[in-house]
């Protein structure tokens, strides 16, 4: 190649200016993608022997990626496409930022903010209400160095993930008198920080969706019946009763049966917005309609349940159940979308049959201390002699129908930007009818969100991020996201006697995490509430970005997209009908 050709290639492949640092670690906030070499430079052909073409093929362009989950729990088949469309839109919005060179933190914020603005998720607008009718939200964001910003039980904030990001940025700015800036603020302190940061404070009424208010009124009546006394007068006692108490409400979930008996409240959405006011069939439909099809409460899956894995779908190992409902919708255009290459793993692990997957926060005493009195998971509470007659009708009224959603609270995202930096975040509206000031896993680093930074002596720069969704108190007991990230980072699982043993199979690592580290933990095993969890983990290595996910809940909604993909890959992973255990899947994004 002549000198003019070499000079031309050097001139045409310079990156654009990337500007100043982002104020946190001096790293560029925007990293422009290098321009491809032009075939003509100064009207001269730079090469006639194909060397320029070969150089272009060897050149590896940076790859960014976004990974999203919209909560683990039970997503009704009737509304599956709505949940996946929410994931799809969040992935697209986030990828636009990543392709333009924005940071992973910006991408995580954008993805979660999109989900917070969707009423169908329990985060931001439309979140569950506290015992007095107030919306209080939690959120966390963690950067590539493991630094975090988080807010908990914060009122009057539409997008708590934005507040968490502001706290993260503020935590890197020195304060006078050598004071240490906070990285976690809660309640009124978080609200005041938001005001000082220029965020708009939203009246509580503007954060309450009709569906959330509807749930709140029904749950409040359940609580009155369960406690046998009047509850404190909440914010919506008058207005909500006048507007909504005369309306016909859909039957609630299986979880409400035991919620009435034990006072344990589900962390998710018992209704879908579509089935309430967006043109859904009337609740007075004929008995043969899906609205009248109900199923009994599913028992808690055995802690030693095998992993549930099917053939290679768009997420390898993702187990999709086959619905028996004659009204099941056609598959969403966002389902079974193949992109990039997928991981190979053993699909011969057997599965048990005859039981359903774990239900969320249902209050069943599936694992108790030896000697404690209990009742069978499969026993119909309406046949029990110790249930007060006044509650029997309420229990019958709260049978689950197939069109109702029961999604655990936390949504999450993990992003990798063009500079190779990773970030993760979570957001949640929390458990329904919670105490004011309750802090959920979405606000706690290492519980709902974790990042293990790359070791400075690691030439491969391997880093892992994890986000979780499920029974928040149990995830706090087990330090869920940090433990899961560490398992995958170090390649270990819990062995005999509680000792760590090496494991090369990532699917076995995830199965072991859910079964041994989570379900078998004494704080979960001997709890009166079910240990439900879904986890999404991303491992960044020189060979690619590896997505792994697993859940013991009925379903888990996820999406992923790389900068080389034309559209997001979305999936509704389901534990197969008639089986129990852990469903999981994976995807590799080559770089």
């Amino acid at each position: 190649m002549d000198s003019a050709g070499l000079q031309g290639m050097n001139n045409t492949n310079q990156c654009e200016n990337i500007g100043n640092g982002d104020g946190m670690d001096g790293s560029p906030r925007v990293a422009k993608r290098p321009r491809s070499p032009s075939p003509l430079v100064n009207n001269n052909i730079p090469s006639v022997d194909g060397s320029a073409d070969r150089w272009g093929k060897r050149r590896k362009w940076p790859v960014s990626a976004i990974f999203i989950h919209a909560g683990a729990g039970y997503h009704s088949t009737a509304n599956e496409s709505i949940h996946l469309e929410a994931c799809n839109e969040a992935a697209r919005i986030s990828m636009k930022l990543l392709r333009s060179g924005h940071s992973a933190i910006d991408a995580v914020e954008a993805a979660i903010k999109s989900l917070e603005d969707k009423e169908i998720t329990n985060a931001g607008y439309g979140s569950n209400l506290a015992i007095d009718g107030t919306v209080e939200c939690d959120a966390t964001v963690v950067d590539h160095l493991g630094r975090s910003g988080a807010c908990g039980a914060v009122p009057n904030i539409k997008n708590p993930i934005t507040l968490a990001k502001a706290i993260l940025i503020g935590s890197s700015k020195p304060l006078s008198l050598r004071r240490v800036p906070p990285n976690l603020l809660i309640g009124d302190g978080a609200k005041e920080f938001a005001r000082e940061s220029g965020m708009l404070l939203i009246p509580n009424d503007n954060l309450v969706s009709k569906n959330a208010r509807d749930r709140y009124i029904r749950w409040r009546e359940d609580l009155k019946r369960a406690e046998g006394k009047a509850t404190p007068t909440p914010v919506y006692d008058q207005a909500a009763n006048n507007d909504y108490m005369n309306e016909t409400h859909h039957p609630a979930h299986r979880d409400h049966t035991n919620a009435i008996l034990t006072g344990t409240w589900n962390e998710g959405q018992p209704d879908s917005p579509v089935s309430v006011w967006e043109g859904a069939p009337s609740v007075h439909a004929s008995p043969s309609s899906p609205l009248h099809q109900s199923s009994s409460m599913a028992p808690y899956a055995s802690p030693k349940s095998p992993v549930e894995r099917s053939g290679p779908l768009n997420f390898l190992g993702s187990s999709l159940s086959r619905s028996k409902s004659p009204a099941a919708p056609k598959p969403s255009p966002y389902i079974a979308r193949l992109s990039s290459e997928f991981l190979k793993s053993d699909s011969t692990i057997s599965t048990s049959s005859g039981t359903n997957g774990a239900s969320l926060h249902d209050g069943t005493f599936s694992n108790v201390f030896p000697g404690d009195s209990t009742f069978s998971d499969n026993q119909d509470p309406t046949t029990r002699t110790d249930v007060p007659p006044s509650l029997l009708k309420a229990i019958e009224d709260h049978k689950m129908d197939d069109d109702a959603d029961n999604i655990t609270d936390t949504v999450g995202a993990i992003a990798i930007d063009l500079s190779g930096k990773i970030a993760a975040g979570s957001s949640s509206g929390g458990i329904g009818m919670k105490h004011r000031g309750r802090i959920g896993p979405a606000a706690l680093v290492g519980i709902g969100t974790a990042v293990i930074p790359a070791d400075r002596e690691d030439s491969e720069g391997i880093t892992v991020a994890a986000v979780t969704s499920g029974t928040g108190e149990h995830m706090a007991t087990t330090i869920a996201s940090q433990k899961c990230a560490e398992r995958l980072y170090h390649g270990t699982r819990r062995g005999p006697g509680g000792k760590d043993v090496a494991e090369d199979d990532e699917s076995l690592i995830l199965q072991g995490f859910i079964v041994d580290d989570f379900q078998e933990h004494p704080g979960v095993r001997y709890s009166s509430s079910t240990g439900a969890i879904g986890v999404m983990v991303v491992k960044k290595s020189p060979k690619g970005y590896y997505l792994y996910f697993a859940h013991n809940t009925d379903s888990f909604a996820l999406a992923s997209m790389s900068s080389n993909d034309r559209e997001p890959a979305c999936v509704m992973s389901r534990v197969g009908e008639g089986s129990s255990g852990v469903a999981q899947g994976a995807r590799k994004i080559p770089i």
Side-chain angles (χ1 to χ4, degrees):
M1 181 182 300
D2 56 29
S3 60
L6 286 173
Q7 182 178 1
M9 287 184 60
N10 290 333
N11 290 337
T12 57
N13 284 280
Q14 296 296 321
C15 296
E16 298 178 22
N17 293 330
I18 57 179
N20 298 325
D22 61 7
M24 296 184 64
D25 59 1
S27 59
R29 179 181 179 86
V30 177
K32 294 294 185 180
R33 186 167 183 163
R35 291 190 295 266
S36 302
S38 172
L40 295 177
V41 180
N42 298 327
N43 297 320
N44 295 321
I45 299 177
S47 174
V48 294
D49 60 0
S51 59
D53 293 337
R54 290 193 295 272
W55 177 90
K57 291 179 180 179
R58 291 193 302 268
R59 183 75 167 88
K60 289 186 177 181
W61 305 112
V63 176
S64 59
I66 181 68
F67 309 89
I68 295 169
H69 81 77
Y74 171 77
H75 302 74
S76 71
T77 55
N79 299 312
E80 181 173 302
S81 61
I82 301 173
H83 294 288
L84 294 181
E85 172 59 28
C87 294
N88 180 281
E89 181 178 340
R92 289 179 181 274
I93 291 173
S94 181
M95 183 49 63
K96 285 183 179 180
L97 293 180
L98 290 171
R99 283 173 172 162
S100 66
H102 282 261
S103 68
I105 290 289
D106 293 337
V108 166
E109 178 199 15
I112 294 180
K113 187 175 179 180
S114 175
L115 294 175
E116 289 174 340
D117 291 340
K118 295 289 189 299
E119 182 189 356
I120 201 167
T121 64
N122 180 25
Y125 171 71
S127 293
N128 285 330
L129 306 186
I131 191 72
D132 66 347
T134 302
V135 174
E136 290 186 339
C137 294
D138 307 322
T140 296
V141 63
V142 184
D143 71 2
H144 66 289
L145 297 178
R147 299 171 300 187
S148 62
C151 57
V154 58
N156 306 117
I157 298 297
K158 182 181 179 182
N159 296 114
I161 191 66
T162 300
L163 175 55
K165 177 186 171 185
I167 294 173
L168 169 62
I169 294 174
S171 68
S172 66
K173 298 177 180 179
L175 300 177
S176 60
L177 300 178
R178 297 184 178 180
R179 291 175 296 154
V180 178
N183 62 0
L184 169 62
L185 294 172
I186 64 172
D188 290 338
K191 177 180 174 181
E192 184 60 28
F193 184 93
R195 189 198 309 273
E196 294 173 355
S197 301
M199 293 184 63
L200 181 65
L201 300 183
I202 306 296
N204 190 68
D205 284 356
N206 293 353
L207 296 176
V208 181
S209 68
K210 182 182 178 185
N211 197 42
R213 191 177 309 186
D214 193 51
R215 291 195 304 273
Y216 171 77
I217 295 171
R218 183 176 62 250
W219 287 352
R220 190 186 63 200
E221 293 305 308
D222 292 344
L223 191 61
K224 287 181 181 179
R225 285 191 290 264
E227 295 183 348
K229 60 182 180 181
T231 55
T233 302
V235 175
Y236 295 112
D237 254 351
Q238 299 301 325
N241 279 327
N242 292 339
D243 294 339
Y244 301 104
M245 283 305 291
N246 292 328
E247 295 181 3
T248 303
H249 305 300
H250 288 278
H253 285 296
R254 56 188 169 192
D255 287 349
H256 280 262
T257 300
N258 282 281
I260 294 173
L261 300 177
T262 66
T264 303
W265 295 90
N266 174 36
E267 292 201 32
Q269 300 263 25
D271 295 324
S272 166
V274 171
S275 64
V276 177
W277 67 84
E278 294 182 8
S282 168
V283 295
H284 298 294
S286 65
S288 61
S289 71
L291 291 173
H292 288 268
Q293 296 174 1
S294 62
S295 61
S296 60
M297 182 173 53
Y300 174 55
S302 168
K304 293 299 183 182
S305 300
V307 62
E308 171 84 13
R309 296 193 291 181
S310 300
L313 301 173
N314 68 329
F315 285 77
L316 181 70
S318 172
S319 175
L320 302 181
S321 66
R322 272 69 70 185
S323 173
K324 295 181 179 180
S325 171
K330 294 181 179 180
S332 163
Y334 305 104
I335 302 175
R337 196 171 274 164
L338 289 168
S339 63
S340 191
E341 64 180 87
F342 301 94
L343 294 173
K344 296 180 180 180
S345 64
D346 181 15
S347 60
T348 61
I349 297 179
S350 62
T351 59
S352 62
S353 60
T355 58
N356 295 322
S359 62
L360 279 178
H361 232 305
D362 58 11
T364 55
F365 296 92
S366 52
N367 290 288
V368 296
F369 285 107
D372 286 356
S373 61
T374 184
F375 58 92
S376 168
D377 290 329
N378 295 316
Q379 181 179 351
D380 186 349
T382 59
T383 65
R384 290 173 52 190
T385 58
D386 59 333
V387 178
S390 61
L391 295 183
L392 293 180
K393 185 179 186 301
I395 293 174
E396 290 294 340
D397 288 342
H398 291 301
K399 294 292 187 180
M400 169 184 157
D401 68 69
D402 289 338
D403 288 340
D405 292 327
N406 180 16
I407 309 149
T408 189
D409 61 343
T410 308
V411 301
I414 299 172
I416 302 174
D417 58 30
L418 290 175
S419 64
K421 295 178 180 176
I422 197 169
S426 299
S427 181
S428 170
I431 189 172
M433 304 299 285
K434 64 185 177 183
H435 289 281
R436 286 295 304 272
R438 183 255 189 184
I439 304 297
L444 302 175
V445 178
I447 310 301
T449 312
V451 171
I452 299 181
D455 189 282
R456 62 182 180 179
E457 296 182 358
D458 181 7
S459 60
E460 294 186 334
I462 294 176
T463 182
V464 175
V467 289
T468 58
S469 176
T471 310
E473 281 65 23
H474 291 334
M475 293 195 299
T477 299
T478 57
I479 318 295
S481 62
Q482 184 69 25
K483 174 61 72 173
C484 185
E486 289 177 350
R487 288 296 190 202
L488 203 62
Y489 183 83
H490 295 293
T492 64
R493 59 179 175 85
R494 184 181 178 88
K499 299 182 183 297
D500 291 350
V501 296
E503 180 57 68
D504 295 329
D505 189 335
E506 288 84 359
S507 66
L508 294 181
I509 292 176
L510 282 187
Q511 181 193 2
F513 163 72
I514 289 184
V515 173
D516 299 321
D517 292 318
F518 183 74
Q519 292 178 178
E520 282 288 275
H521 189 287
V524 177
R525 182 177 180 84
Y526 299 121
S527 173
S528 61
S529 56
T530 294
I533 192 171
V535 59
M536 181 177 75
V537 196
V538 173
K539 182 177 181 179
K540 172 184 170 289
S541 76
K543 296 180 180 179
Y545 307 149
Y546 296 85
L547 165 67
Y548 305 96
F549 66 87
H551 58 100
N552 66 358
T553 59
D554 293 305
S555 54
F556 198 20
L558 305 102
S560 68
M561 185 178 188
S562 78
S563 53
N564 292 329
D565 292 336
R566 300 183 61 181
E567 54 190 11
C570 304
V571 67
M572 182 68 74
S573 173
R574 295 186 186 273
V575 173
E577 186 173 346
S579 65
S580 65
V582 178
Q584 60 175 284
R587 180 192 179 188
K588 176 185 177 182
I589 294 178
I591 58 176

